[in-house]
Amino acid sequence: GKYLDGAITRGLKSHREHDSTIKRRESLIRHLQKIFSTRFKGCDLQAFGSSQTGLNLRNGDVDLCLIIDSKDSRKLLKRMRGILNDQGMEDIITIPRARIPIVKFRDPRSGFEVDIAINNSLAVHNTKLLKSYSECDPRIKELILTVKYWALQRAICDAYEGTFSSYAWTLMAIAHMQIIEPNLAPNLQLSEQREEVKIGKIVYDITVSNQITPGDSKCTTGELLAGFFDRFARGWDWQNDVISIANGGSISRKEKGWKFANPGAIEVMEAADEGEELPMGYHHLSIEDPFDKEHDLCRVVRPEGELTIRDELLRAARMVAEGKPFAKICEVVRPERFKNEQPEDLFHDLRTLKEHEIQSKLDNITSEIDTLTTRMDALEN
Ligand code: CTP
Ligand code: MG
C-alpha cells in the first residue's frame, strides 16, 4: 500500500477546504444561530459533524443540532420550514418521523447543504470522540478522509440512498486502525473516570479519554488504506462480527446479541423481481455506535446498497493488490451527483471559459458599474 502515499497526500491537499469556505460556513452558522435564537426562546443551535471534527472534504454538509424543549416535532419542523423559507433557503425537506427529526435545506448564497437535527445531543458528544481520534495522529485523520473520499467518489456514502453514512465509514476506518495498529489508534473510551449524560430517559456513557499515548507505529497511510480494503473485503466475518470502536475495533455478535437476520439482500432483491416486497432482515453489515450501543448504523442500508458496498470493497482491494493508481481506485461514479458542488474559489466559474467570453463578461460588469456610478452620483447630488 505504500505506493499510494504520494497520491493520497496530493489528493487530500486538493480536497482540503479553502479558507473562504470555512469563513462562509462559520458566518452561515452564526446567521442561523441568530435567526433561531430570536424565534425560539431558550433554544441552542450547536454545530457537530465534520465541520467540527476537521474530518471534512470540500463537499461536506453542515450538521447542526437544535436543542429545544418541544414535544411536537411535526409542528416544530413546520415552523422551522417557514422560518427557513423566509430566509430564502431552498430545497427544504422535513423528515419528522425519523429516529432523529430533521430538516434539510440548501443555502443558495453559500451553496451549503445544511441538516438541522432536533435534540440530537448525542451527536455533539460523538463528534468530540471523533475529533479526539483525528487529533491522535495525522495518519488517523488521513485514513478517515481518504476512506470518506473514496466512498463518496464511488457513490456508497449516502444514508438517504441506502448506503453507509460518512459517520459509518469513519467508524470503520477507526476500527481498522484499532485492530491493526492499537498503538496508533488506542481505544479512547477506556478511561477510569467515566462520564455520563441523561438524554430523554436513557443514560449514556460518553467517556472520552484525553490522556492519549502517542503511538509508536511506522505504517503509512497508504498501507493503512490497503489494509482497510483488504480487511473489509476479505478479512471480515460479517456473519459473526460487529464493528465496535468502543470495544477496540470489533465485538462478536454473540456478545452483542445482534443476530444476522434473514432475509438477506439477495433474497429481498430476488423477491422484488417477482413483485414481492420483503422487509430486509436486520444487522447485516453491523456497526455499533460508540455511545448509543443499541444503534446499529447499518439500519439505513438497503439491499442494493449492501451489495454495492461489498462489491466496491472487493473492487478496491483487488485494485490495490494489482498496484492500480489511487485515481483509478477512486474513479468517480455518476459524476452528475456533484453538479451542485460549491465553487472552489472566486474564479471557479471562469476557469472553463474562453478568453473572449471572459472579456465580454468583464465588459458587461464594467458597464453595469458605470451605470451604478452614474446613479450614485445622481443620488448624492
Ligand atoms: N451521526 C450520528 N449518527 C448517525 C449519523 C451521524 O450520531 N447515524 C452524527 C455524528 O456525530 C457525525 C455527524 O452526525 O459526526 C455527521 O454525520 P455525517 O454527515 O454522516 O458525517 P460527516 O463526518 O459530517 O461527513 P460529511 O463530511 O460527509 O458531512
Ligand atoms: Mg456531515
Side-chain angles (χ1 to χ4, degrees):
K2 261 203 176 80
Y3 82 93
L4 296 165
D5 287 329
I8 289 176
T9 311
R10 284 191 300 278
L12 292 182
K13 209 167 166 185
S14 73
H15 277 82
R16 213 173 32 207
E17 281 187 319
H18 214 263
D19 285 348
S20 65
T21 312
I22 300 173
K23 284 219 184 75
R24 266 203 324 249
R25 184 176 48 229
E26 280 169 359
S27 86
L28 173 62
I29 294 176
R30 271 199 307 275
H31 176 67
L32 291 169
Q33 278 166 336
K34 211 166 83 199
I35 298 297
F36 281 101
S37 64
T38 53
R39 303 295 199 291
F40 298 107
K41 279 234 164 59
C43 82
D44 189 13
L45 191 68
Q46 298 177 354
F48 65 98
S50 62
S51 69
Q52 305 303 303
T53 54
L55 294 167
N56 49 350
L57 299 165
R58 240 172 22 215
N59 39 15
D61 56 3
V62 181
D63 299 294
L64 301 172
C65 161
L66 186 71
I67 307 281
I68 188 166
D69 192 10
S70 153
K71 299 268 165 321
D72 189 347
S73 54
R74 186 175 287 275
K75 224 160 143 189
L76 174 65
L77 290 190
K78 211 169 153 194
R79 264 190 78 191
M80 289 172 75
R81 173 192 282 279
I83 294 167
L84 293 166
N85 199 31
D86 291 344
Q87 291 294 317
M89 299 303 174
E90 290 175 352
D91 306 332
I92 307 172
I93 300 170
T94 56
I95 312 172
R97 268 188 308 239
R99 188 175 67 96
I100 307 281
I102 212 166
V103 47
K104 300 167 77 66
F105 58 93
R106 204 170 62 82
D107 172 30
R109 282 149 298 227
S110 63
F112 280 116
E113 305 273 346
V114 185
D115 278 12
I116 302 183
I118 309 302
N119 290 330
N120 189 12
S121 40
L122 206 54
V124 177
H125 294 292
N126 67 36
T127 292
K128 279 186 209 147
L129 177 68
L130 299 187
K131 187 162 195 275
S132 299
Y133 273 110
S134 78
E135 286 168 353
C136 255
D137 188 286
R139 286 166 288 182
I140 297 183
K141 186 169 180 173
E142 282 166 18
L143 182 72
I144 294 173
L145 285 172
T146 311
V147 166
K148 275 176 65 169
Y149 172 68
W150 163 78
L152 195 69
Q153 292 284 98
R154 302 303 299 168
I156 46 173
C157 187
D158 190 342
Y160 295 97
E161 282 197 345
T163 52
F164 280 146
S165 61
S166 290
Y167 179 59
W169 286 111
T170 304
L171 296 177
M172 277 173 83
I174 295 172
H176 169 65
M177 290 180 282
Q178 286 180 328
I179 297 168
I180 191 96
E181 290 285 324
N183 271 348
L184 178 74
N187 187 339
L188 297 185
Q189 292 176 256
L190 287 182
S191 170
E192 288 276 307
Q193 225 171 357
R194 309 306 294 180
E195 192 187 343
E196 291 180 336
V197 289
K198 192 167 178 192
I199 301 172
K201 292 193 181 70
I202 307 171
V203 175
Y204 296 96
D205 184 326
I206 51 155
T207 305
V208 180
S209 163
N210 40 26
Q211 287 157 332
I212 303 150
T213 32
D216 179 23
S217 152
K218 294 210 165 38
C219 64
T220 73
T221 309
E223 287 171 319
L224 288 171
L225 182 67
F228 173 89
F229 290 142
D230 195 57
R231 170 175 316 278
F232 294 114
R234 290 186 273 249
W236 190 260
D237 187 353
W238 292 104
Q239 299 269 352
N240 290 302
D241 290 328
V242 171
I243 293 166
S244 165
I245 69 163
N247 197 50
S250 76
I251 186 167
S252 72
R253 281 180 187 264
K254 240 202 181 123
E255 196 176 329
K256 185 71 220 164
W258 283 353
K259 285 216 182 76
F260 191 96
N262 285 323
I266 295 182
E267 292 153 87
V268 174
M269 287 177 72
E270 277 171 358
D273 285 343
E274 308 281 307
E276 196 190 341
E277 220 178 290
L278 281 184
M280 175 124 124
Y282 292 132
H283 305 306
H284 286 211
L285 307 176
S286 283
I287 306 177
E288 176 199 66
D289 185 272
F291 293 147
D292 183 1
K293 300 278 182 64
E294 293 311 307
H295 183 209
D296 184 349
L297 285 151
C298 81
R299 209 185 293 177
V300 294
V301 174
R302 291 201 281 267
E304 298 85 341
E306 178 177 326
L307 298 181
T308 316
I309 289 170
R310 301 212 54 182
D311 269 354
E312 285 293 337
L313 284 163
L314 276 167
R315 170 187 174 276
R318 203 183 53 235
M319 289 178 89
V320 173
E322 290 166 357
K324 293 273 174 8
F326 183 65
K328 268 270 171 271
I329 297 169
C330 297
E331 195 167 50
V332 64
V333 170
R334 290 190 280 124
E336 67 278 8
R337 287 180 294 138
F338 298 122
K339 68 177 187 310
N340 265 343
E341 221 179 89
Q342 335 153 3
E344 257 168 73
D345 57 51
L346 216 48
F347 314 112
H348 178 87
D349 57 336
L350 303 178
R351 295 223 156 89
T352 52
L353 297 183
K354 304 240 160 54
E355 194 158 334
H356 70 270
E357 290 170 320
I358 294 179
Q359 188 59 52
S360 100
K361 254 183 187 281
L362 180 63
D363 292 344
N364 283 341
I365 290 176
T366 315
S367 85
E368 274 173 38
I369 289 179
D370 289 344
T371 320
L372 279 173
T373 318
T374 320
R375 178 99 184 107
M376 271 169 60
D377 287 345
L379 286 171
E380 268 170 19
N381 284 334

